[in-house]
Structure formats: C-alpha cells, structure tokens
Amino acid sequence: MVIGKLVDVGGYEICAQVLGSGPAVVLDGGGAGQGLDTWGPVPERLAEFATVVTYDRAGVGRSGGTQARSVAEQADVLRRMLRGLELRLPAVFVGWSYGGLVTQVYAARHPGDVAGLIFVDPTAAGTPPGSALVRRLSFDVAARLLRARAALGGRNARARRELAVTLGGMQDAMAEAKSTREEYGLPPVPIRVITAGKRPRMPRAQLDHLTADHEALAGPSARGRVLVAEHASHQVPYEQPETIVETVRELLSG
C-alpha cells in the first residue's frame, strides 16, 4: 500500500505522495479518484527523472472532505494541495480517464501552472450522442449496481461507493469540462492525447464522439498530437505504461 502525506487545503486534508526530484509532473487518476493506488508502475518510472505527485481526491481514499460534484471545485482543491506541497510550478499535468476532465478544467482555469498536458484515454467532454433518457438511465443503473456491490463489503467496497458518486455526476462533469474549455481555452503548451488502441464494442456514433473529442483536445496546432497506445485498452497505465513515461519525458525535454 502507498503511504502518502496529508496536506491541509482549508478545513480538511488531502492525501498526496511525492516521489523523485526534478521538473514537476502531476498525475490525476480515474473516476474513483484514488490516485495514489491507480497508476501502476508509472509514478516510480517517472520518479527516475521528475518530481511526481499523485493524490486521492477530496472525500476519496485517504483524503478528508467530501466528494465534489463540480469539476472546477476538484481542480481548485488540487491547486490548493499543490500550493501546500510547495511544488515548483509550472508542471506537466497528466490526466487519465475522468482525471482528464479535471486536468483540462485545471489547465483552463490556471494556465500559468501548466508546462504541458498529457491526456491518457480521457473521458470525452460534452454531450454523448443518443437519447438523454437512455444516458441518464445507464449512468443511474451503473451507480446503483456499484452501490449494491459495495453493500456486500469486501476490499473494494469503499472504492465502489466513491465511483458510484462520480458516475452519478458524470453527465454534469462532461458538460462542465466542455463549457470550461470553450470559455477559457487550453493554454498554449504542448499537448498529447494518448488514446487506447483496443476499444470495447460500442455504437459507431459513440466511438466517433470519443475520437472527435480526443482530436479536439490535441487541437489544430503542431504543439498537439494524438498518440495511439496500440496494445492497450483503457488501462493504459498498466498495459502500456512506457508510452506515458516516454511522452512525459518528451514534453519535459522541450
């Protein structure tokens, strides 16, 4: 188990881990928000040439407070935590899955903190295609199933409850990320989007929506690129961690 340090963010503490030395890299994990335990070998490999920060979001894992429904609130808590760590900014921010939403909102709201952005198979922002009713029911059903499984107990019970809260607010989070990006834009820094090469079967319209958002994140400039992790599913940090590590190394080398 990873043992982190507690950082006061105003009324409660966030559990963070700092590894290595050198230029700063901030990792923001998936929907459950337990970032300290969810990056596989990536933090240790990055720590060979960088200062690497991982953390559990508010109300999640070993962090205090309550889970925030607003992505802007999550991004602002992350900023207070980084200030509490006295981390030298700007940093390269790496957001995986739902963490991609948090990372892009952070970058839009606090562009001076950001030296580069890497999105690892990020959740698509905006409104997915299809029926609004079907979308709402699918997220509601998924959250209910997670809470039911959590009620049975077991080692992952708390993580399932926390993920259920995230799924309950997922549609709002996706819409908020899209509107924030449109209002503020992303900073003019190098951007890489690492997209999974192995996709589960999904409707064509949904795949097109995901692909279009990944391309939009990378942007039209030469400073942004989409990279395909050919041998990985959504679990890129576990199945193709070297792609993340080498992409961070590239951005840090300028």
Side-chain angles (χ1 to χ4, degrees):
M1 172 179 289
V2 175
I3 299 175
K5 61 188 298 183
L6 297 176
V7 183
D8 189 338
V9 294
Y12 58 92
E13 294 175 316
I14 294 294
C15 188
Q17 176 184 249
V18 182
L19 296 174
S21 61
V25 178
V26 179
L27 306 182
D28 201 300
Q34 293 193 20
L36 267 70
D37 293 318
T38 57
W39 282 93
V42 171
E44 287 74 16
R45 294 190 189 180
L46 291 177
E48 295 174 6
F49 56 87
T51 299
V52 186
V53 177
T54 55
Y55 75 107
D56 291 341
R57 291 196 200 104
V60 168
R62 286 140 288 192
S63 289
T66 57
Q67 285 182 260
R69 291 299 185 99
S70 162
V71 184
E73 182 181 345
Q74 294 172 48
D76 290 348
V77 169
L78 171 57
R79 192 170 197 249
R80 295 200 298 272
M81 184 201 78
L82 296 178
R83 295 288 184 281
L85 288 171
E86 299 182 344
L87 187 72
R88 288 188 62 184
L89 297 171
V92 170
F93 285 77
V94 185
W96 173 33
S97 191
Y98 182 93
L101 301 180
V102 179
T103 297
Q104 63 190 268
V105 170
Y106 187 108
R109 291 170 63 85
H110 310 294
D113 290 357
V114 181
L117 291 166
I118 299 172
F119 299 99
V120 180
D121 209 40
T123 299
T127 303
S131 161
L133 177 60
V134 170
R135 286 196 303 273
R136 181 176 63 81
L137 289 175
S138 64
F139 282 118
D140 286 350
V141 168
R144 289 175 184 272
L145 288 173
L146 283 167
R147 285 193 289 268
R149 292 185 66 187
L152 299 175
R155 185 167 59 90
N156 296 320
R158 179 173 178 177
R160 290 188 178 112
R161 286 193 297 271
E162 293 161 353
L163 181 56
V165 174
T166 301
L167 288 177
M170 182 65 79
Q171 292 190 88
D172 289 341
M174 293 187 296
E176 181 186 357
K178 183 66 176 295
S179 64
T180 301
R181 209 163 81 199
E182 290 176 345
E183 180 177 359
Y184 297 101
L186 295 177
V189 298
I191 298 174
R192 301 291 182 266
V193 181
I194 300 172
T195 189
K198 296 181 178 179
R199 291 274 175 222
R201 295 187 64 178
M202 64 177 70
R204 183 69 193 186
Q206 185 178 347
L207 178 60
D208 289 345
H209 171 71
L210 181 64
T211 301
D213 190 69
H214 286 187
E215 291 174 350
L217 269 178
S221 77
R223 305 199 81 187
R225 291 208 308 270
V226 176
L227 310 173
V228 180
E230 296 283 359
H231 306 295
S233 67
H234 186 61
Q235 303 298 317
V236 181
Y238 296 93
E239 297 170 355
Q240 206 167 321
E242 65 278 4
T243 299
I244 300 173
V245 174
E246 290 309 311
T247 303
V248 172
R249 191 191 301 272
E250 177 218 343
L251 262 60
L252 291 177
S253 68

